[in-house]
Amino acid sequence: MSTPSFLEDHVSQLPAIQLLVNMGYEYITPEKADELRGGKNSHVLFEGVLKDQLKKINTIHRKGKEYDFSDSNINSAILVIKDLPLQDGFIHANAIFYDLITLGKSFEQRIDGDKKSHTLQYIDWKNPENNVYHVTEEFSVLRTARTDTYRPDLVLFINGIPTVIIECKTPSLCGTKSPTELAIEQHIRNFSKTGIRSLYVYSNMLLS
């Protein structure tokens, strides 16, 4: 019998990716992830994916007819979720994000001369198969007011929005601390004021 590898990515990261792929997530390489965010490690959204999905999963129903949201409203929806008010506090900004993805956001649009508010959803909760799911690894993000980066092991995206962050640790590298303790410490470091709150503000779940 061959000896199992105790490299961190072999022990936990690769099996985690395989499990997520089996659950319906599409694996994308770090290079592809960088391409989807415009080649900038200060960006954490896949804006092109998000824009396509907002158009796909949202329609306005009025008097028995369906209408698309205007390009202006689609762009405004992206801007709203892109510019969360971190300056008003990390927890506050995360709460606003939670409301956006669970309740949606209302935008005014004129249809047949009648201007009314209509709710746009970022995630199709009623029909999960209409969403797109990606997982990538080693997702480098620029730190706050710094020129260096932090790099979470795995990040999960729904419709181009990073919603889950996973830190993978192998017991052989943990010393006196458990893998879970080390992963929690890394999460805490990452969402500190000098960390990568621009990513963590979107997280609905942190795993290790």
Side-chain angles (χ1 to χ4, degrees):
M1 178 184 295
S2 60
T3 303
S5 170
F6 284 93
L7 293 175
E8 180 173 279
D9 57 350
H10 290 176
V11 171
S12 57
Q13 196 158 311
L14 293 181
I17 291 172
Q18 185 60 61
L19 175 62
L20 290 162
V21 168
N22 292 340
M23 292 172 62
Y25 282 83
E26 177 187 351
Y27 169 74
I28 54 176
T29 64
E31 293 76 19
K32 179 63 176 179
D34 284 343
E35 179 184 329
L36 290 175
R37 57 176 170 161
K40 296 182 178 180
N41 57 19
S42 58
H43 293 177
V44 298
L45 296 171
F46 298 162
E47 288 190 37
V49 173
L50 178 58
K51 186 172 186 177
D52 289 344
Q53 284 301 109
L54 292 182
K55 291 180 177 180
K56 174 185 174 182
I57 68 175
N58 289 287
T59 53
I60 298 170
H61 297 269
R62 182 166 172 77
K63 296 181 180 180
K65 296 182 180 180
E66 290 188 354
Y67 300 87
D68 293 331
F69 276 86
S70 66
D71 287 341
S72 176
N73 278 334
I74 294 293
N75 291 334
S76 293
I78 294 173
L79 187 61
V80 166
I81 203 166
K82 182 179 179 180
D83 293 333
L84 296 173
L86 272 168
Q87 69 278 4
D88 296 332
F90 178 60
I91 300 300
H92 174 69
N94 182 256
I96 288 178
F97 168 68
Y98 178 82
D99 286 344
L100 285 173
I101 64 167
T102 55
L103 303 176
K105 176 70 175 176
S106 292
F107 294 94
E108 289 188 340
Q109 186 161 322
R110 190 180 300 278
I111 297 176
D112 295 333
D114 189 11
K115 191 174 185 180
K116 288 188 176 181
S117 291
H118 305 276
T119 300
L120 178 147
Q121 299 291 342
Y122 291 89
I123 295 175
D124 190 340
W125 299 104
K126 294 182 179 179
N127 305 285
E129 67 277 6
N130 288 338
N131 303 307
V132 294
Y133 306 88
H134 293 105
V135 55
T136 192
E137 58 186 328
E138 307 300 334
F139 192 66
S140 295
V141 179
L142 186 67
R143 293 174 61 188
T144 302
R146 297 283 295 262
T147 57
D148 59 328
T149 62
Y150 280 157
R151 189 175 60 189
D153 291 331
L154 299 177
V155 180
L156 280 58
F157 295 78
I158 302 178
N159 295 340
I161 304 168
T163 57
V164 179
I165 304 170
I166 304 175
E167 286 295 341
C168 304
K169 301 300 171 190
T170 179
S172 66
L173 300 178
C174 293
T176 60
K177 295 184 179 180
S178 70
T180 301
E181 287 175 315
L182 281 181
I184 290 173
E185 286 181 359
Q186 195 153 341
H187 279 308
I188 292 173
R189 181 204 69 174
N190 287 354
F191 66 66
S192 68
K193 289 183 178 180
T194 59
I196 50 175
R197 287 187 168 181
S198 61
L199 173 65
Y200 274 73
V201 71
Y202 294 101
S203 60
N204 283 335
M205 187 178 296
L206 305 178
L207 299 175
S208 60

